[in-house]
Amino acid sequence: MNSIGKTELVELFGFLLPGIIIVFIFSLIKPGPKTEYKFLLLYYIIASTFYFIFIRPLFEFKDGISLPLWLHSILFYIVTPIIVGVILARVLQTGKVASKTADFFKLQTLSLIEDAWDYTFYKTLNDGRYAIVTLSDGAQIYGYIGQASFVSSSRERSDLLMESVYELDDDEQWNQVEPPRSIYIKGEQITLIELIWSQNDR
């Protein structure tokens, strides 16, 4: 049985490195639960394969710019995969390219976001929303979910941190509590979340 030598390991790492970087950057931007470890190697291989097919030829033009080996390696194995990962994540994030491609071929697209919880708050946190959270005991919490808030992406814990808390006065007007504060709510206590554009839309 032949053992894998150092040369083969270096070549394998060199092949997988672009895919590792691309998948890592995409996982940072993609909302929802992180990719399961058992699928990571497959994703690395797929990403690296497409990278070598489409990007490598750009670095092998005979009449191209001559670069030192160390600079060529940094650009090919690190810098360019980072750029590709950011562009890919941005394209998939907006969904415009995928939507137009699907419309052209008359296909039904699937969302990259797997849960309604993640989809709701992924869209919500872009602009911010006022929210009314109803707890399991019937109590209601009035607050604001914005960029300083945090919504868990864990399927086991749907926790919520609202950056601002409000209370209603006798005229049912929203007033920020004094002193201003945020509030953490455990997922198992939440039974209903109402999202509204402004306090006047109640």
Side-chain angles (χ1 to χ4, degrees):
M1 181 176 179
N2 296 328
S3 59
I4 300 177
K6 292 182 179 179
T7 302
E8 288 79 8
L9 287 176
V10 172
E11 291 177 351
L12 178 61
F13 178 74
F15 172 75
L16 292 177
L17 182 58
I20 292 173
I21 294 175
I22 293 172
V23 172
F24 174 73
I25 293 177
F26 181 75
S27 66
L28 291 178
I29 300 176
K30 176 183 177 295
K34 300 306 178 184
T35 305
E36 296 183 29
Y37 290 111
K38 62 182 179 181
F39 296 118
L40 283 178
L41 180 58
L42 176 61
Y43 293 156
Y44 295 157
I45 294 174
I46 294 174
S48 288
T49 299
F50 279 96
Y51 181 81
F52 273 82
I53 291 174
F54 294 103
I55 302 299
R56 186 172 183 175
L58 301 178
F59 283 80
E60 296 181 345
F61 279 123
K62 294 181 179 180
D63 298 329
I65 301 174
S66 179
L67 298 174
L69 179 60
W70 65 270
L71 180 57
H72 180 279
S73 299
I74 291 176
L75 289 174
F76 181 77
Y77 289 103
I78 299 177
V79 176
T80 305
I82 292 175
I83 296 174
V84 171
V86 171
I87 293 175
L88 177 63
R90 182 58 181 168
V91 168
L92 295 177
Q93 195 175 48
T94 57
K96 293 181 179 179
V97 174
S99 177
K100 290 181 179 179
T101 303
D103 291 341
F104 179 80
F105 290 102
K106 301 184 183 303
L107 299 174
Q108 179 66 40
T109 59
L110 297 177
S111 174
L112 292 174
I113 307 174
E114 301 176 4
D115 300 324
W117 173 273
D118 294 322
Y119 183 85
T120 299
F121 291 107
Y122 171 66
K123 298 297 182 182
T124 295
L125 293 184
N126 286 337
D127 302 319
R129 297 287 187 275
Y130 290 93
I132 304 175
V133 180
T134 303
L135 306 181
S136 54
D137 61 359
Q140 290 186 316
I141 300 175
Y142 296 79
Y144 183 78
I145 303 174
Q147 294 295 330
S149 302
F150 181 81
V151 180
S152 172
S153 291
S154 171
R155 288 191 175 93
E156 291 75 25
R157 298 178 58 189
S158 300
D159 299 344
L160 171 64
L161 174 67
M162 288 201 298
E163 62 189 71
S164 301
V165 182
Y166 292 79
E167 57 185 4
L168 271 66
D169 58 21
D170 295 337
D171 297 324
E172 295 192 352
Q173 297 297 314
W174 290 42
N175 298 300
Q176 191 169 17
V177 297
E178 295 293 342
R181 69 198 68 176
S182 58
I183 185 169
Y184 166 77
I185 308 173
K186 289 185 177 181
E188 58 265 26
Q189 295 178 315
I190 300 174
T191 59
L192 179 67
I193 300 179
E194 301 172 65
L195 301 175
I196 52 182
W197 287 91
S198 70
Q199 299 167 9
N200 296 327
D201 293 335
R202 291 178 290 113

